[in-house]
Each structure stands twice: as C-alpha cells, then as structure tokens.
Amino acid sequence: MATPLRSNRDFRLLWLSGLFAVLGSQMSALALPLLILKATGSAVQAGAVGTVSVCALLVTMLPGGVMADRVERRRLMRLCDAGSLAAITALTVAVWYGHAPMVLVLLVATSGAVLSSVYAPAAFGLMRAVVPPDQMGTATARLQARTATVKMAGPLVGGALFGIHEALPFAAQFLGLLLSTLCIALVRTRSEARTRAGSVFSRRELTAGLTFLWQLPYLRTVLLVFGLGMNFAFGALTFTALAVFSDDGTSGLGSGFVITCVSAGSLAGALLAPRIAPDRHARALIVATCWSCVLTAGALAWLSSALLAGVLCALCMCLSTIASIGFLSTLLVVTPEDRIGRVQSAAGFLSSIVQPFGPLAGGALLTLLGTRSAFGIIGGVLAVSAAVVTLAPSVRAGAAAPPEEPEAPFEQERPEPQLKPEPAGTPRPAHDAAGPGAL
C-alpha cells in the first residue's frame, strides 16, 4: 500500500521548498518594476523588466526540458538554486547601497527566468519519482493550492517590505531561496533519465517533447484547444472585464475586486480538486470549464455589476484550476520517465506562448467595437473552443501512453531509471496550473 502524502517525507520537503521559493519570487516580481519606476520615473523601463523576463523564459523553456532529462534532477535543482542565490545576493547588496543600475536589474530578471526554465521540468521529474501515480492528482492539487495562496499574499508582503526599504523584498527572497535549498538538500529520492539526451540545442532534442505530445491525440487536442485557444480567449476576457469595471481607469475598486475573485477562484479550485479526483474526470471538467467561460462572456456583455462579474470569473477560474490539475496529473502519469522534462517544458511552452497576447486583443476589441461586441467576439472564440473539446473523438477517448520505442541512438547510461533513497537534495515544484489550460 502506498504511503499517504501526509507521511511522504520527500513530498513534504518539496512542498515546503516550493512555498519558500515561490513566496520570495512573488515579492521580488512586484519589487523589481517598482525599483525601476522609483529610480527612473519611467513606466516603459519598469514594464521592460516583465517583458524581458517573459521573453527569456519562452526562449529557454524547451532547452531547459532537455537539460532536465540529461542531468540528475535533484542535482540540477541545486545548481539552479545556487545560481538564483548568487543573482539575488548581488541585487540585494546593490539595492542596499543605492547602486542598482537598470542593466543589473535586467540581468537578474533574465537569469531568474532562464534558471526557472531549467528548474521547473527538473522539479516535475523529481515529483514524478517521489509521488505514486495514483496520488498524482492530489499532489498536484496541493502544489497548486500552495502557489495560489502565495500569489495572493506574496505581492502584498513584497509591497509592504518595499515601503520600508527597497532592499527588503530581495533580502526576503534570499532567505526564501536559502530555506528552499535546505529543503531540497534533505530530499532522498534521486530521479535520473534512462538515457543521456543529445545536444541541448539539436532540433531533435528541442522538439522531442512537442513530438511526444503530438503523438497522443488526447494531449494534442487538449493543449491546442484548451491550452492555446482558451488561454488566449480567457486572457482577453479577464482583461476586458478589468477595463470595463474600472470605469475607463477612473476607479480601481471594481477591477481590483475582479482580480481578487480570480485569485480566490484559483485557490478554491486547488482546495476542491483532491475531493473530486480530477485526474479521473479530466474531460468532463475541461468541457465544463469551456462552456462556463462561454456563458460568462455572454453574461458580461450585459452585466453592469462588478460583484456578479467577479463571481462569474471566480467560477471559471475554479473549474479551470481543477481541470488543469486533472490534465497535469494525466500528463505526468503517461509520459515516460526519460522524457518527462522535455514533455513538461513543451506543454508549458504551448500554454504560455499566447498568454501575453490575450490582454492586447481584449483591449483592441474594447477600443474598436465597444463593450458588448468585444465580449461577444471573445465569447464566440470560446464557443468554438468549447465545441471542439466537447465533440472531438480524441478527447472522448482519453490519454494512453504510446508504445515504447527508442528515441535515438543516444549513449545508454543505465538499464533502468535510478530512483534510490540517498541522503541529500532542492526547491519549488514545477509550473503550476493557473488559468484555463495554463500548464
């Protein structure tokens, strides 16, 4: 009989390490642009920090998955933590003494994104080794609940610390990374791929995860429709709602309420997920999420109440979080051990690549066509996605692992993946679900 998660020592350490690391990253994510804004007074330069970070993450996500499949994952996580600690130490010292140039801030933001693109798939692979398949849904839900809670509290704590002294959020992130590293150092499980991958930058290796996802019709359809289409449309939907209920930017109360409701919906979904076994009902949950978003878009076209809008957005986010947890659990179970890093990175890449364009599209529709037409067009895109997910035979059939076949004549390291207890280990588990299809 499998050990319950509450008694699984290594899972508890992974959970705690992620708590410390994500809390620190959320505080610095707010403090970095505030630091530039205070120093330069330029909103453009402040916004450039986030843009550079997102671009660096997208560019390095696929190579990061290859790295996670060629290096022992716990060791790789420790190396990423060491790099993060070095970068945040340099920034903390610079800010404390009042000498933090824009180039240093951009270097820290870029290095954080690059290290995250390697760290996340490694953490996914290590969790696969730590958690039995029948407990994957519950484990993923607990990680998501942790992240949703930290995302609600982290920016508030970071903002308060920044108000006291600009260096404090970064000092707090340093402490969080240190505690995170300590937790991983205590993890005993080792997770190593069956074969050594080829060059990180070879086309075959960079596309191995995408190829695997394409071979499974269920994963392919859900990622293209739920991951790409729904992520894009839901981003446009929420941004349009924020703009409408802020009274054209004159009031932050309505828009702030909608944001809070979205965050609360994500947390509620993560807390409810273990009770309904989302990995067993992933298709039904995905379909329910898609149609609830369609109905919400239609309702928002006629509503004038921020309260009702917030409740509807919270419901969509709640269902989306549960559905994403179910899909992530399925993805982890059906992916071969030696490809988990590349597959996770590929799924994250597909889900993330369109996210920056959703708000842009929502803003353009609202400016050109007005509130009702904007919500109507967004609802139409959502309805098409919902119809495809509902009717597609590949989604109805569910996921099954493809037959094992050799990837390429890579150098054989071991006949079996090595998952052996040994004292030593590192932090923050992988990309957590965070929106319709956000994987």
Side-chain angles (χ1 to χ4, degrees):
M1 183 175 178
T3 303
L5 282 179
R6 63 178 177 273
S7 303
N8 187 326
R9 176 184 178 277
D10 282 354
F11 176 75
R12 293 202 314 269
L13 287 169
L14 283 173
W15 191 94
L16 282 172
S17 72
L19 177 69
F20 295 131
V22 175
L23 180 59
S25 67
Q26 286 296 306
M27 288 189 289
S28 67
L30 176 69
L32 278 174
L34 289 179
L35 182 67
I36 295 300
L37 189 60
K38 184 175 180 179
T40 66
S42 170
V44 174
Q45 291 188 49
V49 176
T51 302
V52 167
S53 179
V54 170
C55 291
L57 182 66
L58 291 174
V59 168
T60 57
M61 197 174 281
L62 295 180
V66 181
M67 289 294 296
D69 282 340
R70 66 182 299 164
V71 179
E72 198 279 310
R73 286 150 185 157
R74 187 191 57 182
R75 184 186 311 134
L76 185 59
M77 292 164 73
R78 289 204 302 266
L79 291 173
C80 289
D81 270 341
S84 297
L85 280 168
I88 204 65
T89 299
L91 182 62
T92 303
V93 172
V95 174
W96 184 265
Y97 287 103
H99 302 290
M102 180 69 173
V103 64
L104 176 62
V105 174
L106 291 177
L107 282 173
V108 170
T110 302
S111 65
V114 172
L115 290 170
S116 177
S117 70
V118 177
Y119 185 99
F124 242 95
L126 185 57
M127 190 178 80
R128 160 79 177 263
V130 166
V131 178
D134 60 339
Q135 296 178 353
M136 197 62 70
T138 302
T140 306
R142 291 186 181 180
L143 296 180
Q144 174 63 13
R146 176 207 65 200
T147 302
T149 303
V150 170
K151 282 184 175 180
M152 292 179 69
L156 293 175
V157 177
L161 291 175
F162 188 87
I164 299 171
H165 192 285
E166 294 93 329
L168 287 181
F170 308 111
Q173 184 182 14
F174 173 85
L175 179 60
L177 282 170
L178 197 61
L179 292 172
S180 176
T181 304
L182 177 62
C183 288
I184 294 300
L186 298 174
V187 171
R188 293 172 181 164
T189 304
R190 293 175 64 86
S191 174
E192 215 160 339
R194 190 172 300 167
T195 56
R196 180 176 296 280
S199 169
V200 175
F201 298 105
S202 72
R203 186 173 68 174
R204 182 185 184 91
E205 286 303 299
L206 290 175
T207 60
L210 295 170
T211 301
F212 176 84
L213 293 171
W214 189 261
Q215 289 174 343
L216 272 69
Y218 171 81
L219 298 182
R220 179 176 70 225
T221 304
V222 171
L223 277 169
L224 289 177
V225 179
F226 193 61
L228 278 171
M230 288 294 295
N231 261 352
F232 174 81
F234 191 76
L237 177 71
T238 51
F239 180 83
T240 305
L242 294 180
V244 168
F245 292 105
S246 68
D247 296 327
D248 296 324
T250 60
S251 170
L253 185 60
S255 57
F257 179 76
V258 173
I259 292 174
T260 301
C261 285
V262 170
S263 299
S266 177
L267 177 58
L271 295 175
L272 287 172
R275 301 177 181 273
I276 61 177
D279 48 329
R280 299 176 188 172
H281 309 290
R283 177 185 175 271
L285 289 165
I286 290 171
V287 170
T289 299
C290 292
W291 286 112
S292 70
C293 290
V294 174
L295 295 175
T296 295
L300 290 178
W302 300 93
L303 285 177
S304 58
S305 168
L307 175 62
L308 292 176
V311 170
L312 289 173
C313 288
L315 175 62
C316 290
M317 182 56 71
C318 179
L319 288 172
S320 164
T321 300
I322 300 173
S324 293
I325 288 170
F327 181 81
L328 281 168
S329 304
T330 302
L331 181 70
L332 275 171
V333 170
V334 303
T335 303
E337 172 71 18
D338 60 334
R339 274 176 265 184
I340 189 67
R342 286 165 288 174
V343 171
Q344 186 275 335
S345 291
F349 179 79
L350 289 175
S351 298
S352 302
I353 195 169
V354 296
Q355 285 182 344
F357 303 105
L360 181 64
L365 289 172
L366 187 61
T367 301
L368 296 174
L369 303 175
T371 300
R372 289 183 179 173
S373 296
F375 280 124
I377 292 175
I378 293 170
V381 175
L382 291 166
V384 171
S385 299
V388 172
V389 169
T390 303
L391 301 175
S394 57
V395 179
R396 292 183 179 184
E404 286 290 333
E405 58 182 57
E407 280 194 271
F410 299 142
E411 174 191 353
Q412 189 77 20
E413 281 192 338
R414 303 179 171 75
E416 295 294 333
Q418 202 138 353
L419 305 175
K420 58 185 180 186
E422 208 179 270
T426 182
R428 43 194 192 236
H431 294 336
D432 297 293
L439 306 169

